[in-house]
Amino acid sequence: MRENDMLEKEEIFSKVLRAGRRTYFFDVRATKADDYYITITESKKFTEEDGSFHFKKHKIYLYKEDFAAFAEILGEMTSYVLNHKGEEVISERHQKDFKKEYASDKTDDDEILPQTSTFTDIEFDDI
């Protein structure tokens, strides 16, 4: 069997989760004995000062005999985090509504100005 045929046979089902500079790949693959297992790959993009970039990848292989225990512990860990810290992302860098939250910190006596974008429209004719 050609190498490309083997790769096509190996990958059965895939899903992708893009999360900022990280991308997670969830793949169902087949063993030589035609049994299934899952790989979870984290790919993280790093940009160099010169504008070039590279990716670092980490992969987990998860076999059927470990599915139940893995799912149980993952569920327990995610519940723990959500119960103790909630769903809101604390880091300013990751907050979707950081400016909105700033405006909501004002009291009723403060004038709430409409938020303006820091982007400036520049026409090529202006340059």
Side-chain angles (χ1 to χ4, degrees):
M1 187 179 285
R2 291 185 345 206
E3 186 176 330
N4 286 346
D5 292 339
M6 188 62 165
L7 289 175
E8 288 176 18
K9 181 180 189 299
E10 210 177 271
E11 193 172 297
I12 309 301
F13 180 68
S14 296
K15 291 276 188 169
V16 176
L17 171 62
R18 298 191 195 295
R21 11 179 263 184
R22 292 182 313 270
T23 303
Y24 299 98
F25 299 92
F26 299 85
D27 299 300
V28 174
R29 298 186 177 270
T31 65
K32 290 181 183 178
D34 205 30
D35 201 1
Y36 290 172
Y37 65 99
I38 297 172
T39 61
I40 303 170
T41 307
E42 176 201 38
S43 178
K44 193 170 184 181
K45 184 177 183 178
F46 291 89
T47 305
E48 305 295 335
E49 290 180 14
D50 65 0
S52 65
F53 58 89
H54 68 279
F55 295 91
K56 287 188 179 178
K57 295 182 180 184
H58 299 92
K59 188 174 281 201
I60 296 172
Y61 293 84
L62 188 58
Y63 298 94
K64 287 192 312 187
E65 60 268 24
D66 302 321
F67 285 2
F70 187 93
E72 182 181 334
I73 292 172
L74 180 61
E76 184 180 340
M77 299 307 256
T78 56
S79 292
Y80 181 89
V81 171
L82 295 174
N83 290 335
H84 285 83
K85 293 295 180 180
E87 292 187 27
E88 181 183 357
V89 177
I90 295 171
S91 168
E92 289 179 10
R93 182 173 152 192
H94 293 101
Q95 285 182 358
K96 294 178 183 176
D97 263 343
F98 183 68
K99 286 184 182 181
K100 183 176 180 183
E101 185 176 282
Y102 172 77
S104 68
D105 288 343
K106 295 187 175 289
T107 64
D108 291 340
D109 297 335
D110 293 333
E111 179 184 351
I112 298 178
L113 300 173
Q115 294 180 4
T116 58
S117 172
T118 57
F119 178 76
T120 304
D121 288 328
I122 298 175
E123 299 290 329
F124 284 109
D125 295 338
D126 296 337
I127 299 177

